[in-house]
Amino acid sequence: MSTVINREQCPACAKQGRDNSQDNLSVYDDGHKYCFACEYYENNKKETPMTITTPARTLDFLSGTVEAINNRKINEKTARLYGSLTHTKDGKRIEISNYYRDGKVVAQKLRGANKSFQWRGDASKPQLFGQQLWKNKGGRKVVVTEGEYDCMTVSQLQDNKWACVSLPNGAAGAVKSVRDNLEFLSSYEEIVLMFDMDEAGQDAAQRVAELLPPGKCKIASLPYKD
């Protein structure tokens, strides 16, 4: 397991005139770098090809409690619906987002202090965050956000009645995540991409829109960056 410690510009994206916000390339504490947008990879240690995730075993997953996320004004009801958990270790708070595939938890995204992230399990091809809640595929509308907090916020504002999901790896991995879950998204009549208003978010929204069925996709315009 390795942890993201920094983000920088992806040289492969830059050659194509992308990643002007200079944050597509994730830098990990074991020396490797990976871009979820174009799958560019660097291994500064010159070791064997990287494995981003560890094998998914139930015993590897952290347990936690359900509670409101007060700093984001996400209430306990919404946190419980999405299975958002809080785990405390050595006096430090870790927030857990569970990711599913075929009805089972296959990966956990752990959020620590200072926006540090770590994956447990098999995060190579998970469903979108929250996708397991909408088992009957299809419907009138689905909203796709960049992050788990964004997803739960939008869902809560709509009384948790409409399908709302988020990307596992933010804007940087948007294309891959949507491509992996294209059948689910395409089953909806309307697909709203509610990404951040910064350059990375809007660039990702445009590239994702090209993957979706014509006439179904809408890109939200928000008054603030995030």
Side-chain angles (χ1 to χ4, degrees):
M1 243 179 342
S2 53
T3 303
V4 176
I5 58 174
N6 195 17
R7 295 187 185 276
E8 57 188 45
Q9 187 175 46
C10 171
C13 289
K15 286 182 180 179
Q16 301 177 19
R18 296 175 176 172
D19 195 17
N20 295 322
S21 59
Q22 302 183 0
D23 61 1
N24 275 13
L25 193 67
S26 297
V27 182
Y28 292 81
D29 58 2
D30 65 358
H32 81 264
K33 302 178 182 181
Y34 185 74
C35 176
F36 285 92
C38 71
E39 300 184 353
Y40 172 82
Y41 168 67
E42 285 184 18
N43 189 348
N44 292 339
K45 290 189 174 183
K46 307 296 182 183
E47 296 174 348
T48 54
M50 86 162 172
T51 302
I52 316 177
T53 58
T54 55
R57 293 186 301 149
T58 302
L59 293 178
D60 289 335
F61 295 139
L62 295 182
S63 60
T65 58
V66 177
E67 57 186 62
I69 307 173
N70 294 322
N71 63 325
R72 291 299 184 111
K73 294 183 171 61
I74 296 171
N75 60 38
E76 184 178 333
K77 177 182 177 181
T78 302
R80 186 175 301 279
L81 174 67
Y82 278 88
S84 180
L85 304 175
T86 299
H87 177 90
T88 303
K89 182 177 181 180
D90 299 328
K92 296 181 180 179
R93 176 187 173 101
I94 299 173
E95 292 170 357
I96 305 169
S97 297
N98 288 316
Y99 279 82
Y100 290 74
R101 188 166 59 233
D102 299 327
K104 298 180 179 179
V105 176
V106 296
Q108 288 183 325
K109 187 176 182 181
L110 311 180
R111 181 188 180 105
N114 301 318
K115 292 187 176 181
S116 61
F117 295 98
Q118 188 179 69
W119 281 99
R120 283 195 173 205
D122 180 10
S124 60
K125 197 175 179 180
Q127 293 179 340
L128 302 170
F129 176 72
Q131 184 173 327
Q132 76 281 357
L133 298 175
W134 320 104
K135 295 179 181 179
N136 297 322
K137 291 190 304 180
R140 191 170 75 80
K141 179 177 67 174
V142 59
V143 176
V144 186
T145 66
E146 275 194 39
E148 296 86 3
Y149 286 165
D150 301 333
C151 172
M152 289 188 284
T153 298
V154 175
S155 179
Q156 183 172 297
L157 288 169
Q158 299 180 114
D159 295 324
N160 298 318
K161 293 179 179 178
W162 295 102
C164 196
V165 295
S166 82
L167 306 170
N169 292 292
V175 171
K176 181 181 185 303
S177 298
V178 169
R179 187 184 291 124
D180 289 343
N181 296 283
L182 190 57
E183 182 180 356
F184 167 77
L185 292 173
S186 299
S187 66
Y188 285 84
E189 297 175 16
E190 182 181 7
I191 306 164
V192 180
L193 304 179
M194 194 172 289
F195 295 177
D196 289 356
M197 294 302 295
D198 57 12
E199 184 179 6
Q202 292 305 292
D203 178 61
Q206 292 294 336
R207 287 186 284 127
V208 165
E210 295 173 2
L211 300 174
L212 298 171
K216 286 192 174 187
C217 180
K218 295 181 179 179
I219 298 176
S221 179
L222 305 174
Y224 299 103
K225 170 185 172 294
D226 186 355

